[in-house]
Every structure is written in C-alpha cells, then in structure tokens.
Amino acid sequence: MKVFKKRLTLFFLLLPLYSAFAQVKLPQLVSDGMVLQRQTELKIWGWASPGEKISIEFRKKKYSGQADKHGNWQVMLPQQNAGGPYSMKIKGKNEIKLENILIGDVWLCSGQSNMEHFFGVHQERFAEEISQASNTEIRQFNIPMTPVLTGPQDDFPVIQWKAATADNILEFSVVAYFFAKNLHEKYGIPIGIIKSTVGGSPIEAWISEEGLMEFPGIMSTVERNKDTAFVFSENRKADAINQQIAEERPKDEGLTGEKHWYDPSYQPKDWNRMNIPGFWEDQGVQNLDGIVWFRKEIEVPAHMVGKPAKVKLGRIVDADELYINGKKVGNTSYQYPQRRYDVPADLLKTGKNVFTIRLTNYWGKGGFVTDKPYYLATENDTIDLKGYWDYKIGSVFPKTKRNPGGISMRHQPASFYNGMIAPATNYKVKGFVWYQGESNAGRPYTYEALQKAQIKDWRKKWNNEKLPFLFVQLPNFMDANYLPSESNWAALRQAQLNARSVPNTGMAIAIDLGEWNDIHPGNKKPVGDRLALAAQKLAYGETNVVSSGPLFKSAWMEEGKVILTFDHVGSGLIARDGKPLRWFALAGADRDFQWAEAKIENTQVVLSSEEVKNPVYVRYAWADNPDQVNFYNLEGLPASPFEAELPAAKQRWYGKKAAVVLTYDDALEVHLDNAIPALEERGFVGTFYLSANYEGSENRIADWRRAAQKGHELGNHTLYHPCDNSDGTRNWITPENDLANYTTAQIVREVHMTNVFLKALDGKSERTFAYTCGDTETSEGSFVEAIEDQFVALRGVHGDVNRIGEMDFTSLNCYVVDNSNADQLVKWAEKAKVGNALLVVLFHGVGGGHPLNIDLDKHNAFLDYLKSNEEDFWVTTLLEASKHAKEHKK
C-alpha cells in the first residue's frame, strides 16, 4: 500500500511536466505583434509532444505538420505580400492564437553599443522624434544580453514585439529606428527590427563555432569554454583576486570620518582647487589611480526651486556618484555613458546647494572629459557647473601587477551567436545590419577575415548566400593628430572597406559623424539614413540611388603626380567646405608618409608632394580622428578612408637599385630580443621563419604576434624542422625528425599545420616558406610540387642574388651568413645593386643563440650600411619582394 501511495504521489508530481510537454509551444519570435518577412516562404516552428499533429490557420487558409520524435515541428507557409494586421491560430492538443501580425521586411540589427544605444539615452537630441512617435508599423524585438558558451540555444528569454509608439520608443535602437523609418517612408511597408546587441562585444562573439573553424586560435578558446566547470573555476579565482585587491586598497577617507564628505554639514579643510572639466593628470596631480572627491556650492535662485531638475556631468573617467545636499541622485560605474541625472523637485533649495562628486579612477587619466555639457537645468533655466571646484583625495590605489584573469562572458567567441543569434535563424529576414568594430580596434589586422567569415556564416545559417549585409564603418574618435601617423582605427576601417569585396554587402561611411571625446557619438540619425541608402540600392534594387560616398578605385603615376579615381562619385566630387582637400598623404617604399597637395579635377583627385619623389603608397584620412574631413560627393556623402599601393610603382624595386630581404630562421628568442629591436630602430622589417614546435615559437606567442603587427613577416619553417640525415653526418637530427624517413604526406601535413599556427598569430593567408637545412626531398623524392601552391615563394640556400628574369620562386637564392663570412655582406649588397637584383640573406644566431652565429655588432653594422644607402636599397620582407617581382615579370 505504501509503495502504491508513493507511485501515486510521483504520478501527480510528474503530471504537470507531462502536461507542459504536451502543450504546443512557440518560440519567442513567433508571437503577438510579430512582423513576418514578405515575399518568401515562411517557417513557423515550435515544440510539442512527439508525433503530435499541428495545424495552422492564417489568412483563411490552413496548413499542417507533425512533430518529430523529439517533439520539434515546423510548418511552411507560402509567400505573402506586405499587409496586416492579421491573426494566426496554431493548434495541436492545445490552441494558441496570435494577434496583430504584420507582413513586411525584417532586418536583424546587431553589433555592439553604437547599435545598442536607444532613445532613452539620447532624449534631448531626439526630443521631437520621441514626442511624435506613433508608428505601429515599425516594430522591434529587443533581445536581452544572453551569452552562452556551451552551444547554440533554441529560444530566447521571454520577449515581446513592440511598436514604435510613445510607450515603447525609448527602448528602440536609434540607428535601427532611423534605418527602419527611412525604409517605411520610402516603401510604405511594415518594418521589423530584431535587435541583438551587446556593448563591448567583439566580432568573434557573434560568429558560430562552425563559422570560426578557419581560426584555430579562436577555436581552441571555444573548445575550452565548453568546460563549464573550468569557466566557473577561473571566474571564482578572478573574483577572489579582485576581492583581495579591493581589500588591500586604503579605505576612502571621505567615508570613514565622523561626517562623510558629501554631508552638507561637513566643513572641508585643506581642500585644493581644480578646473572642471579636465583630467587631474593635466592639472598637477600625477600617477593617481584612486578616489577623488569634488565639492562646490551652487547658488540656486528661488524660481528654480520646487521643480524637477536635471544634472548633466558630461563623461567621467571612470565611475562617479553625485550627491546634492547630502542625497545621492545618481551614479555610473564605468566611463562611457554620458551622465544625466534626475533631481527630485524637493531637493534643491534657494541659495547655497552643496554638490559633491565622488569619482573613482582605476587606471590612466582620471577626471571629467572636456567638450561635454556640465550644467544644472530645470525646464526654463540653466546653471553652468563648469569652473573651479574644491577637491580632496579620498584614497590612492596601490599599483598592482596581478592580473585577476577570469573569463569574461561578453568577450568569448561564439557566446552571443549561441544565445542571441542562433534562436533566430529559422525566422526569415530581409537582411542584416551590423555596427561593430570598436572592440576589435586593438587588433585590426584580423578583422577583415573575421568580418568575411561572419557574413558567410550568417548567410549559411539563414540558408541564403545572397542575403544583404549592411555595416557601418567606424567613425572618427579620439584626439586629432595633425601629422601622418599609424592608427589601429584607420586599419580597422580599411579592413571594413576590404570586406565590401564580399558580394551583396553595403557600407555606411561615418568618418564625419564621430566625436573625439566619446566612443558613443550622438549623431546617430545620419548613420541610419546612410544604411537605408545602402539598403535601397542593394536590397531594393534602386539602381539610380547614390548609396555611398566616394570609394577608392585606382591610382597611377602621371607626369610626377598621382591620379586617383573613385567609385560612387555621384554627381561629382567636392571639397565640402570650399577649402583645399585635407588628409591625403603619400609615401615611398619606406612608408614614411607625408602630406600631399590634393586637387579635384573632374571625377579624379590629383596628388603631389615635393617630399615624396617616388610615391608607392597613398592614404586618405588615415588617423583615429581625421578632423573635419571635407572630401565628399555632391550628394553629401563622405569618402571612405583608405590606403592603397600604386601599381606603379611598377618600377623595379620601387625605383631603388636593389631589394634586400633579411631572413631569420628557427624562431630564436635572440631574433625577438636582438634582431627585431635593431631592425625597428632603423625603420626596417624582416622575415622570420618559425618552426611551430620550437621553444622560441611556443614561449613567445605574444611577441611574435606583436612583430607581425609591426610589419615583420612570419614565414613557414615546418612544424618540427626535419632535415635529411641519410648520410649520417647531421648527428643532431633524431630519427623521428629525419626527412629521409618522412613520406611526402607527412611533410605536407606538417607544413599545413604550421600555416594554421601562423595564421592564428597574424591573421594572414599569403605566406612564404623556407626549406629546413635547404632540403627538398623525403623518402619518396621531391616534395616541392606538393607544397608550392600554398606559398607565394619558397626560399632555398643557394648563395647568389636573384635576378628578375631568372627567378625560381620555388627556390629563391639566399646567402647563409655567420661570423665566418659576415664581411661579405656589403659585397653581396653591392652585387645586387649592380644587377638591379634581389638579395636575400639568412641569419640564425644574432648575438648568440645558435651555432651559426653573427655578432650583434656585425649584424647591426650591415643594417647601418643599408640605412645610410637607403636611396639605393628597398629593405622589405620576402613576401613583399616576391609579390613585387612577380608583378614586375608580367
């Protein structure tokens, strides 16, 4: 009897679970108020009991399906024209009725914070738009931040479709809304926005595991993160370290005394003065990370009292708390949001009001960002808060070298694809809109490959390789630099420009829409407008629409000047402010860029520079923040920044008498510690052949990655450095590393895996190869043909220069150098100069590190010779020299 009761109890406990499983369930996207994609077959899907029959009634027609053995079902609906609102009934063992369905165009709008920014944080700028919001045919599905490391999810958390009306508009993405509004006004159809955004997220977080397969370094992280126990363990350790660091910081004196410093009755003593806005490092307070209090008495007139007010405190680095008359009215925990705090109507009083700011800075410059609003305001009155404030240091944080580590969910590859993209892949869309890149700007040279992989991945997941993909090129940001310089932001813009080579992509140029002091520029409406122009041409077939500003097309030399042509010139090219064109630069083979005079001639731009006699490279707006760009088309759209090489420079070796390539074999640490600093001191780059299994490769990953970012070439020198010891004279070769014991398939696999390793370091696909010990045969004969297609060139060890008409790119000549023949280096260089040839030099040890060694002073003396004769020698990498030589041979 007891057993029966237990079973009966268990039955009733499980009954709700069985009942729930039997219920037809829909994904969150398929819900009231949804916008369905017009003019394409539609999939309606969900879950039910295994084998359960499903029927759908929509627009007076019925469709049916059946759940599979796992309870998954889908029903296909035929193409529909734009319209609505409609209702839909889905029936299994239960019935669901969906209301207010529209049919139109659906766009997935994704990226990081600049796509995420919603009207709620831009209320003043867009006050009129917000007050007039009443469009029920523009709707948004706002996916919350949902990082998942274990794999793709089936559904989102509970979300509702919402219309762009007064009740909801503050939640809408500003960029996505203006994009949608443009299209709605143009075509008169409903527009649905699936908003999937996370501030600070890198592009790789939005690509699926499958889409990341070509990035082995990233894939290793994906696999690691699937071990949830490991992730939790690492984050617990990080939390413990962060807690310990916080506990070791001195207590904040502003909160430890008898009266806290925000207390209006507190009497400040020994406080100093500082001008706000500004950083304290610029006002005599150096090397301070910690807590600083600011205090000011503000006179408030009677007519501003008793009314709700607002305080604007611009941007603050890093965190802040604002107190007025002892009451906290707002706080922000990180530096990027602009501070906008509401002040209750009963808080201000006539006369003196004590404003106190507790500012916490964790690293770098701390303080108040300039060129931002700082004021107290009621509806009709404003009090300026800029000027001198009293300040006092509450706590100085000790410097710590401890890295807390941990695994930040928002930065992990595939995390947001799994949680915020995958559940939408069954939902048909018109296309994608992408605004991201800031979080990848520190490593721009991998972005092009990642962007192309993302486009391919999303199209594959939606099973449509032609879906339009629109994206925003990064705007201007940070300090303006008025001398030509390098810029990661510019390099990332170039990567985005290059991604346009993927078919059915469009780019909105935003180089004139940023703010030097805000990574979240407020001028977002033109971004949405320009994206809509791109959509009109790409997705809606408006062939006459000028959808972009000028994009670089070609360049050549003519009578000592550089001629540039552009696509998307529209009705013509202009200097928008009527002044000479700015931000064009030229450089020779040395990449020493100098400003160029630029003139518009019809639909071309003509450049000249007295300082660059033999131009090889041209740049436009290559800077973090090219201030006040003025190169536009007549339609008012700005030109994209770019860098290009003049095919021209088809003069052999860019007009120099010879090319010199300095190569370094075997991934020695002395190459990183001795050779690279010597090269960079003289403005040179080298080619470093890495054997991936060598200690110098394994132990110095970050240093090799940095070397690649600085322009040095990383070449393939196999995985294990096998050499032929068939005659037994190389006693340092083990049997397993004896090339004479290899099959050709073995060496091919080894070469391939090293290419994978190198791509993980530098993100590049083009590469050169150096034969280990100069050997080219396995036990099966020559392996050259088996690997040559993987490389631009392969370097041998035959001692001679390389003459253009005689070059064998499967075995380029090379002089092997050590102390015994170092005195021949200049002689070989002179030989190359006389023959207008390419000299390739091979070093092993540089100042030690290898039996084949050259003293550092002898190595550097040769570099000094090349530097003093740089008008004769182009010092470059083997990859660039080989590509140039091949082009010249044509």
Side-chain angles (χ1 to χ4, degrees), residues 143-144 146-148 151-153 155-157 414-423:
I143 301 167
T146 315
V148 178
Q153 301 301 290
D155 202 3
F156 300 115
S415 62
F416 292 128
Y417 172 83
N418 290 337
M420 299 179 66
I421 298 295

Side-chain angles (χ1 to χ4, degrees), residues 2 15 38 89 197 228 500 517 551 582 615 726 758:
K2 288 183 179 179
L15 185 59
R38 64 180 176 139
K89 289 182 181 179
T197 60
T228 54
R500 287 191 73 261
N517 56 7
L551 300 178
R582 294 185 285 272
S726 55
L758 294 172

Side-chain angles (χ1 to χ4, degrees), residues 381-401:
D381 298 278
T382 300
I383 297 175
D384 191 359
L385 297 180
K386 296 192 294 292
Y388 283 99
W389 287 55
D390 295 330
Y391 79 91
K392 191 175 180 67
I393 297 168
S395 177
V396 177
F397 295 165
K399 299 294 182 184
T400 177
K401 295 182 179 179

Side-chain angles (χ1 to χ4, degrees), residues 217 312 855:
K312 286 208 170 184
D855 293 341

Side-chain angles (χ1 to χ4, degrees), residues 260-265 311 321-331 341-348 353-357:
H260 295 168
W261 292 356
Y262 60 77
D263 190 325
S265 64
V311 170
E321 299 169 19
L322 171 65
Y323 298 85
I324 298 178
N325 297 329
K327 181 176 180 179
K328 186 161 78 171
V329 297
N331 70 282
Y341 298 137
D342 292 326
V343 181
D346 60 352
L347 185 55
L348 296 176
N353 291 258
V354 179
F355 280 54
T356 311
I357 301 167

